[in-house]
Amino acid sequence: AAQLDASGGGYDVVLDVTGDPRAVATAADHLRPQGTLVVASVVGRGVDVPFRTDDLVYREIRVQGVLSKDEAAVLAARALVEADADLRTFLGAMITHVFPLEDGAAAIDARAAGLPGFVKAAVRPNAG
């Protein structure tokens, strides 16, 4: 959410991939009326996400859940990012912590670990 605050608001679509219930709960605040919130993260069973449903209704916000896609969808998404330098910069700024492959478990647990300045973790599959 902090990254979105820095870039303005009134978006047509907001995609949440954080897995953080606080980010999911506030993501719709960055949408224009009749915008779409895409929830592509899993916060965990039994974790409450406090939506203000009246706000969603009055602003006619659409909420769409999605789950991981196949390789073709991942490659298409990568191609979109590679083709747009501004999008690449914007998305790259959200990755605040990078872990080597052997520390993949730490990347998965990074949000819960309360790392300073944490927004999103990534795993680098090679040493380069």
Side-chain angles (χ1 to χ4, degrees), residues 7-99:
S7 62
Y11 295 99
D12 295 331
V13 177
V14 170
L15 169 66
D16 179 82
V17 294
T18 65
D20 185 329
R22 297 165 302 173
V24 176
T26 60
D29 296 343
H30 302 283
L31 287 164
R32 64 163 174 76
Q34 299 183 335
T36 300
L37 170 59
V38 179
V39 181
S41 63
V42 177
V43 298
R45 289 189 182 268
V47 176
D48 290 329
V49 177
F51 272 120
R52 293 181 309 273
T53 56
D54 286 357
D55 291 347
L56 298 176
V57 171
Y58 289 132
R59 293 176 47 228
E60 299 179 318
I61 300 299
R62 177 177 181 245
V63 179
Q64 176 68 52
V66 299
L67 201 51
S68 294
K69 298 297 177 191
D70 61 14
E71 181 183 5
V74 172
L75 292 174
R78 186 178 77 183
L80 287 173
V81 173
E82 288 175 344
D84 187 325
D86 291 336
L87 180 59
R88 216 171 29 254
T89 299
F90 180 76
L91 293 175
M94 290 185 184
I95 299 173
T96 56
H97 293 73
V98 178
F99 295 84

Side-chain angles (χ1 to χ4, degrees), residues 94-101 103-104 106-108 110 118 120-125:
M94 290 185 184
I95 299 173
T96 56
H97 293 73
V98 178
F99 295 84
L101 183 59
D103 292 338
I108 292 169
F118 180 80
K120 189 72 177 168
V123 175
R124 184 177 307 279

